[in-house]
């Protein structure tokens, strides 16, 4: 992710300013952490029935939530503005580069690469600042804040919550293995080139009747793309199952440890309720990280192409 961002800044040639945006994204993640921290006094006051203590705690929680909402609006607006500027910059760079290439360079394969660069590649890169980066920062920031609060309030539940994280990191790295994905991208580019060639050859193919039952080269590339897509999806299956299983196991283990401590009167009921809710909330953003592996990889591949 960091390497992709560095390459993005280099490619954009300073046309977009990522530093203020990253500051807003980080501030939003910290605001979420403060909101989770403010939840503990609210639950404690409600469980004890202390109305006088509940109102100030609820006010602090509302202030943290309002601050987080404002920061979310600012970072979302900034992210979409960066995406528009990035698309404009990359389209002009591709156009400037293509305009100086010799005409002999534009064969069917090269035309397919240019078509992919000006459509799918720019589309994948534009999603990085507007959608992918804020979501990843929000998820990791909120999960880290929950883990810190849990370790501070009840270390045993906190440790149970994060004990499966090394396995989750391993499975997430396995999801990011790019071997089969690169083969699929190459087959997709070949297919795009073949479709362009098929459209240009329509007069000849129709005159000779060569495409009456399908055109052999196009059918072959379609089949190869189908097989490459299947291999890419199959390569992610075991790692994805392992990742989500470990995430849910950490949540269940944290609640089970908390229930055991509660039955032994070794944890305050308010703390147990709050940390059980946080365990569920912890598993949600961590589990969602798997869905952003492909967009990050696609953005990195788009920059390399």
């Amino acid at each position: 992710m960091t390497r992709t961002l560095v390459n993005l800044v280099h490619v954009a040639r300073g046309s977009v300013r990522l530093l203020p945006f990253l500051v807003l994204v980080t501030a939003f993640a910290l605001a979420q952490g403060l909101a989770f921290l403010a939840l503990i006094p609210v639950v404690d006051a409600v469980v004890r029935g202390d109305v006088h203590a509940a109102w100030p705690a609820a006010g602090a929680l509302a202030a943290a939530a309002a601050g987080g909402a404002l920061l979310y609006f600012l970072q979302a607006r900034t992210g979409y503005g960066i995406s528009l500027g990035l698309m404009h910059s990359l389209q002009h760079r591709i156009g400037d580069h293509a305009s100086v290439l010799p005409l002999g360079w534009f064969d069917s394969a090269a035309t397919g690469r240019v078509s992919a660069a000006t459509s799918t590649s720019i589309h994948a890169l534009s999603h990085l600042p507007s959608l992918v980066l804020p979501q990843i920062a929000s998820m990791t920031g909120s999960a880290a804040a929950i883990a810190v609060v849990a370790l501070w309030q009840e270390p045993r539940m906190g440790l149970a919550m994060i004990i499966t994280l090394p396995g989750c990191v391993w499975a997430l790295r396995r999801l990011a293995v790019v071997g089969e994905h690169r083969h699929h991208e190459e087959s997709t580019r070949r297919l795009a080139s073949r479709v362009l060639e098929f459209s240009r050859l329509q007069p000849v193919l129709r005159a000779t009747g060569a495409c009456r039952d399908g055109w052999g080269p196009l059918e072959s590339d379609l089949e190869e793309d189908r097989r490459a897509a299947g291999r890419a999806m199959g390569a992610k299956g075991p790692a994805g199952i392992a990742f989500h299983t470990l995430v849910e196991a950490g949540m269940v283990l944290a609640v089970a440890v908390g229930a055991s401590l509660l039955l032994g009167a070794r944890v305050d009921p308010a703390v147990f309720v709050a940390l059980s809710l946080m365990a569920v909330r912890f598993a949600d953003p961590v589990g969602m990280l798997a869905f952003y592996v492909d967009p990050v990889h696609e953005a990195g591949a788009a920059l390399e192409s």
Side-chain angles (χ1 to χ4, degrees), residues 25-87:
V25 169
T26 305
F28 172 60
L30 293 177
Q32 286 192 88
L34 291 176
F36 287 120
L37 182 61
L39 181 64
I40 300 289
V42 175
V43 176
D44 181 62
V46 170
V47 171
R48 290 187 291 106
D50 190 348
V51 178
H52 296 291
W55 282 112
L61 177 60
L70 177 61
L71 288 169
Y72 176 77
F73 170 76
L74 292 175
Q75 62 93 16
R77 183 176 180 179
T78 306
Y80 283 115
I82 288 176
S83 294
L84 291 174
L86 181 63
M87 290 177 63

Side-chain angles (χ1 to χ4, degrees), residues 76-189:
R77 183 176 180 179
T78 306
Y80 283 115
I82 288 176
S83 294
L84 291 174
L86 181 63
M87 290 177 63
H88 182 268
S89 174
L90 291 177
Q91 286 170 345
H92 277 269
R93 284 204 62 185
I94 293 173
D96 293 341
H97 183 66
S99 64
V100 298
L101 291 172
L103 294 178
W105 182 83
F106 289 94
D107 56 10
S108 60
T111 305
R113 290 199 300 271
V114 173
S115 175
T118 55
S119 55
T120 56
S121 295
I122 290 180
H123 186 265
L125 286 171
S126 67
H127 275 65
L128 192 63
S130 63
L131 177 63
V132 178
L133 178 58
Q135 290 296 327
I136 291 177
S138 174
M139 291 170 187
T140 54
S142 61
I146 292 172
V148 170
V149 172
L151 289 169
W152 175 47
Q153 289 288 328
E154 176 48 61
R156 288 164 291 191
M157 286 188 69
L159 286 173
M161 194 183 299
I162 65 174
I163 196 171
T164 60
L165 282 184
C168 294
V169 172
W170 172 83
L172 203 60
R173 291 179 65 88
R174 293 296 302 168
L175 279 173
V177 173
V178 299
E180 294 296 340
H181 296 285
R182 291 193 182 280
H183 294 155
H184 184 210
E185 289 163 3
E186 292 171 1
S187 69
T188 301
R189 283 195 291 268

